Amino acid sequence: MASFTTLTFPCLAAFSSSSPNSPNSPLFFSAPSQFLLRKKPNQTRLRLISCRSANPNNNSDDNAPSLSRNIDRRNVLLGIGGLYGVANLAGTTIASAADTAIQAPDVTKCHYPTDLPDNADVPDTCCPPVPAVTISDYQLPADGAMRTRVPAHLASDEFIAKYEAALSAMRNLDPSHPHSFTQQANIHCAYCNAGYQQVDFPSEVIQVHNSWLFFPFHRWYLYFYEKILGKLINDPTFALPYWNWDNESGMTMPNMFMTSTSSLYDANRNANYFPPAIIDLNYAGSDRGLTDDELIKENLVAMYRSMVTNATTSDLFMGQKYVAGDAPDPGQGSMENIPHTPVHRWVGDSVNQPNGEDMGNFYSAGRDPLFYSHHANVDRMWVIWQQQLGGKNFTDDAWLDASFLFYDENENPVRVYVKDCLDNAKMGYEYQPSALPWTNSKPAASSTAGLAAASTALSVADVFPVTLDKAVQVKVARSKTSRTEDEKGQEEEVLVIGGIEVSADQYVRFDVYVNDDEQPAGGKDKPQYVGGFAHLPQKQQSSTKTTTSLRLGLNEVLADLGAEDEDTILVTLVPTVGGGVVNVSSIAIEYSAK
Ligand code: C2O
């Protein structure tokens, strides 16, 4: 059993986060290191937060996580009489009865910046104004005009003029006004760069990416941004345009954002990719020299993989469970991973800006008006998945009851819940339909039967943990073979790549192929291409590493590769950017209920 040693430094707290497969195992210790320490490979990592990074100009004198408030989840569990059982460091899981939702942050304790890249351009803080009135639970208006979000590339001149006027008005507000563009952009920064600590678990930050909070947080964020813009021009029907990057006709930066004198413009974008450059939804940090037709084809396959192949369960599509007391970043869902993250990096200016600002780094992404149209399309994908592809949202209370804090269009500070954002129509907005060409973009089947059995590739245990400084191929065992249609309908076979440790401040991409060569050749439009991993840079000071996981659905892929009867499959991980800074601890096949 672990022993907990208590520190006396008031402002130096150590905490740990664990690999996705082990329980949270917070420890307090006194080593004054700023750096991540490896205790045991792939088990527990320890990191420090110190006063050094606390901003003297922040909203609170109680800003840095202090030891007295450092009551971690384990201690809470133990403190209530062992009701939920006792966890140990060897990896026993804590009974899930204790799972509670991550709560809206206590804004008076917002401390920012703590997790910023070097040379980040943050003059003061990303914390919102402290509310002068009591925060209330937000009620969705019962009536009101429907707001119809249209594809940005099809927006009328009249609409563009309206959006420009609204955003100019927003930009003209005093930066301290909760409706100002500065404050709207800062919302992203505070929720993504360790501005907030978890209520009751101050040693853990709130991170709205890389987990099941991704879709609902961004839906609420856009909801208020849109309502505020409408209020500023006195038009309650104002609706955000969506960047229709999943359709060939929308695969460039939309023109409405490209006029340098417009309020919709942002100078911090990669000029190499201005229109007519076709977006690369698999973007790995550099131009791949593909023709437009090749890019479009790969883009549509990437969409198919994220929306269909890798979207058969709630967690595969929406991201991994993340509850109160958990370390952040348990794992992105398919849509957040690709194309959402590569789109950020493709737009951001990684040529002239130190950290790929604005879109290419979490702290600055909200400063580009294009961000909100990018996320409108991400949100639209959630609607399509649910309403047209049969996707099912989580039903866990720990998801439904999760809450966030925003200022509404009337400047009231409000608490909003995930459970209230599950129906876009009830929220008063809808998407003007646009064709979904990717539904027909499944790569053609091609048999690889017998390939893995004949291969001399090593097995997982002989290779992992591994540093991805080059392509790595392993044989992965399957415990269930030749499943019936019924069994496959019940359970998705999931490739779980665990303990992915990345340098938090780097853009990282790797791709995953099944039953392919050691160095997979050709494009990402073949049946062996299963999906990939993308990590957007997010922080540097309090921790140099982020540990997360990737899950990919195999049912359809193995059928297409004629590999359903095989005991093993060959998996190749190919780093495309960030190689050498990625360690991966495990790879295995699990079966999850659909
Ligand atoms: Cu909050 Cu696209 O990131």
Side-chain angles (χ1 to χ4, degrees), residues 11 51 73 79 118 149 222 224 230 251 284 286 300 306 326 357 375 431 527 544 552 555 567 588:
C11 198
C51 296
R73 185 178 184 197
D118 282 345
R149 297 180 178 176
L222 263 55
F224 290 115
M251 288 185 189
S286 61
L300 294 176
S306 285
D326 281 356
E357 287 89 348
H375 269 275
Y431 289 98
T544 58
L552 298 166
N555 276 16
D567 296 335

Side-chain angles (χ1 to χ4, degrees), residues 310-380:
N310 292 322
T312 56
T313 67
S314 335
D315 71 317
L316 279 177
F317 180 67
M318 305 183 75
Q320 297 304 305
K321 180 175 179 176
Y322 173 45
V323 301
D326 281 356
D329 309 318
Q332 300 178 87
S334 57
M335 175 52 48
E336 180 181 7
N337 212 330
I338 292 174
H340 157 263
T341 296
V343 171
H344 271 274
R345 202 63 189 173
W346 187 81
V347 175
D349 184 1
S350 39
V351 179
N352 295 314
Q353 298 298 317
N355 304 292
E357 287 89 348
D358 286 327
M359 276 280 274
N361 205 295
F362 277 142
Y363 92 89
S364 52
R367 297 173 182 177
D368 189 338
L370 188 46
F371 169 92
Y372 305 88
S373 287
H374 171 37
H375 269 275
N377 205 38
V378 169
D379 183 74
R380 173 173 162 257

Side-chain angles (χ1 to χ4, degrees), residues 380-444:
R380 173 173 162 257
M381 291 303 136
W382 184 16
V383 172
I384 291 168
W385 178 75
Q386 217 192 319
Q387 296 177 6
Q388 295 179 45
L389 303 178
K392 297 213 172 25
N393 285 330
F394 292 103
T395 52
D396 311 48
D397 288 341
W399 184 69
L400 296 166
D401 293 339
S403 54
F404 312 104
L405 173 77
F406 291 95
Y407 279 93
D408 72 6
E409 75 275 22
N410 300 315
E411 294 174 55
N412 295 317
V414 291
R415 192 180 299 102
V416 296
Y417 293 87
V418 168
K419 60 178 170 239
D420 292 329
C421 79
L422 305 182
D423 181 344
N424 61 291
K426 269 196 199 144
M427 295 176 86
Y429 74 92
E430 63 187 7
Y431 289 98
Q432 180 180 304
S434 171
L436 308 174
W438 45 263
T439 53
N440 298 317
S441 296
K442 175 170 144 131

Side-chain angles (χ1 to χ4, degrees), residues 57-122:
N57 298 323
N58 61 28
N59 291 326
S60 163
D61 55 8
D62 191 19
N63 59 316
S66 76
L67 195 66
S68 59
R69 289 161 44 234
N70 213 341
I71 305 161
D72 61 73
R73 185 178 184 197
R74 172 185 310 272
N75 289 348
V76 169
L77 293 173
L78 294 174
I80 49 180
L83 183 60
Y84 299 110
V86 175
N88 64 50
L89 286 175
T92 314
T93 25
I94 295 173
S96 59
D99 289 340
T100 54
I102 289 184
Q103 297 175 46
D106 179 346
V107 70
T108 66
K109 297 194 170 87
C110 181
H111 52 92
Y112 196 78
T114 59
D115 276 351
L116 280 180
D118 282 345
N119 305 313
D121 174 24
V122 177

Side-chain angles (χ1 to χ4, degrees), residues 188 192 208-209 214 217-218 340 344 362 365 371 374-375 536:
H188 199 256
C192 318
V208 293
H209 300 93
F214 174 75
F217 169 81
H218 290 86
H340 157 263
H344 271 274
F362 277 142
F371 169 92
H374 171 37
H375 269 275
L536 201 66

